[in-house]
Amino acid sequence: MITLADQQKEGEIMRTSRVWVIAACFLVVTLGLIFNPACAICEDCTNPTVIEIDVAPNVLNIGSQGEVVTVHTDIPFSSVIGAKVTLNDIPIAWWKADNHGYFVAKFSMQDVKGLVARLVEDGQLDLPGKIALTLTGFTSSDECFTGYQDDIMVIDVDPKER
């Protein structure tokens, strides 16, 4: 038979356990933020290493059925944290190494078309026109890098009407 005193003692143990679990979670999160140097750098990319990039296709047809925008780089694949790479703030879809061991980034064409649509809507781009694309990322040694290509032609041609 469980007495009232036993129930009160069990309740106190549960409350104490909850406090310890919350304290442990807080400690883990705090230590993760303190000892994860990438978090401190992610917000601050003031002095990036400049890399060369080559965007394909170099003519973006927003009327096409293309699925991927590829960015070739001159940075070694092994030094890049792929998940931290963006193109004009568009998250990377996937990545690979080319035949020379350099990093190659793949981005969703739909996401890039969304960027173009926003630029057109904001009056920053008339079609046909040219846009600049900037690849930004971090290396495994937490160094920021960036590459820039400003001659990407954007057109809106329905391939069926050719």
Side-chain angles (χ1 to χ4, degrees):
M1 176 178 220
I2 298 176
T3 66
L4 181 59
D6 290 337
Q7 288 178 346
Q8 288 174 337
K9 188 174 184 179
E10 186 176 318
E12 181 63 32
I13 291 170
M14 293 297 287
R15 281 189 294 279
T16 303
S17 296
R18 266 188 254 145
V19 169
W20 279 108
V21 168
I22 291 169
C25 289
F26 178 77
L27 181 63
V28 167
V29 169
T30 302
L31 290 175
L33 292 173
I34 290 170
F35 292 109
N36 186 353
C39 288
I41 295 174
C42 289
E43 300 299 321
D44 182 26
C45 186
T46 56
N47 192 20
T49 299
V50 177
I51 64 168
E52 293 292 321
I53 67 168
D54 184 27
V55 178
N58 62 356
V59 176
L60 295 174
N61 181 4
I62 61 171
S64 77
Q65 299 299 315
E67 295 183 13
V68 176
V69 173
T70 302
V71 182
H72 298 269
T73 73
D74 66 348
I75 190 168
F77 175 83
S78 61
S79 69
V80 177
I81 301 173
K84 290 188 176 183
V85 175
T86 61
L87 183 70
N88 290 51
D89 295 325
I90 297 169
I92 194 167
W94 60 282
W95 57 92
K96 67 175 193 163
D98 68 11
N99 293 340
H100 302 286
Y102 293 125
F103 185 80
V104 177
K106 302 282 187 169
F107 297 88
S108 162
M109 179 68 82
Q110 285 305 114
D111 291 344
V112 175
K113 288 179 181 180
L115 169 68
V116 169
R118 287 188 300 278
L119 292 172
V120 169
E121 185 177 298
D122 292 345
Q124 298 177 30
L125 176 65
D126 292 320
L127 296 179
K130 290 188 178 184
I131 63 169
L133 294 176
T134 303
L135 183 83
T136 304
F138 288 88
T139 66
S140 53
S141 58
D142 294 322
E143 294 177 22
C144 180
F145 64 85
T146 189
Y148 180 78
Q149 188 171 343
D150 65 354
D151 60 349
I152 306 299
M153 181 60 129
V154 181
I155 60 174
D156 187 6
V157 177
D158 186 349
K160 297 175 190 169
E161 294 179 9
R162 289 181 137 184

